[in-house]
């Protein structure tokens, strides 16, 4: 089993930046595609970004494209989400997730991910 823990969330003013980290334990995530999702109060959980097992392919939601960047360091068993030019609408709990299967396809649906972290709060003030 893989355990995921997010960190790096906090309060930031609009236009600022945050770097979220996802640390995995239990076993290596080097063979798993990884993703970031977010959920704001009263809103549905939405896809943010995903990356293949080898980091060669990434996908970002249109709402964050050009501002957020997902990356991974398999040697450290970690995944990151660099968030720049933050907007108030980015405010949400951000979740790290792992597919749990070996795949070269970037998944954008929450149902396609098996392991999840507890989330970290990101609040962007205006």
């Amino acid at each position: 089993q893989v355990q995921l823990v997010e960190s790096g969330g906090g309060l930031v003013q609009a236009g600022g930046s945050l770097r979220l980290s996802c640390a995995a334990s239990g076993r290596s995530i080097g063979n798993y595609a990884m993703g970031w999702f977010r959920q704001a109060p009263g809103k549905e959980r939405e896809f943010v970004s995903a990356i293949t097992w080898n980091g060669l392919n990434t996908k970002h939601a249109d709402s964050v494209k050009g501002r957020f960047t997902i990356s991974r360091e398999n040697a450290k068993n970690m995944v990151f989400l660099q968030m720049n030019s933050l907007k108030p609408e980015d405010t949400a709990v951000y979740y790290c997730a792992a597919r749990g299967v070996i795949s070269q396809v970037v998944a954008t649906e929450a149902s396609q991910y098996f392991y999840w972290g507890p989330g970290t709060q990101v609040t962007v003030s205006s």
Side-chain angles (χ1 to χ4, degrees), residues 35-71:
W36 286 95
F37 292 78
R38 67 186 183 186
Q39 187 167 20
K43 305 293 184 180
E44 296 182 349
R45 180 167 49 184
E46 66 174 341
F47 168 76
V48 176
S49 187
I51 187 169
T52 53
W53 70 273
N54 56 10
L56 295 180
N57 295 314
T58 61
K59 183 176 178 63
H60 298 83
D62 290 341
S63 60
V64 306
K65 193 172 299 181
R67 299 187 298 118
F68 291 9
T69 302
I70 188 172
S71 62

Side-chain angles (χ1 to χ4, degrees), residues 1-96:
Q1 184 175 353
V2 176
Q3 294 182 336
L4 305 174
V5 179
E6 305 93 339
S7 63
L11 175 64
V12 64
Q13 292 187 342
S17 298
L18 285 174
R19 181 178 173 86
L20 303 184
S21 299
C22 175
S25 61
R27 63 180 178 182
S28 174
I29 59 170
N31 291 326
Y32 297 153
M34 304 291 295
W36 286 95
F37 292 78
R38 67 186 183 186
Q39 187 167 20
K43 305 293 184 180
E44 296 182 349
R45 180 167 49 184
E46 66 174 341
F47 168 76
V48 176
S49 187
I51 187 169
T52 53
W53 70 273
N54 56 10
L56 295 180
N57 295 314
T58 61
K59 183 176 178 63
H60 298 83
D62 290 341
S63 60
V64 306
K65 193 172 299 181
R67 299 187 298 118
F68 291 9
T69 302
I70 188 172
S71 62
R72 66 190 302 161
E73 295 182 32
N74 288 346
K76 297 181 179 180
N77 220 25
M78 297 185 72
V79 180
F80 306 94
L81 183 67
Q82 179 65 48
M83 306 186 295
N84 299 325
S85 301
L86 283 163
K87 304 175 181 179
E89 51 262 45
D90 294 320
T91 296
V93 175
Y94 283 71
Y95 299 92
C96 175

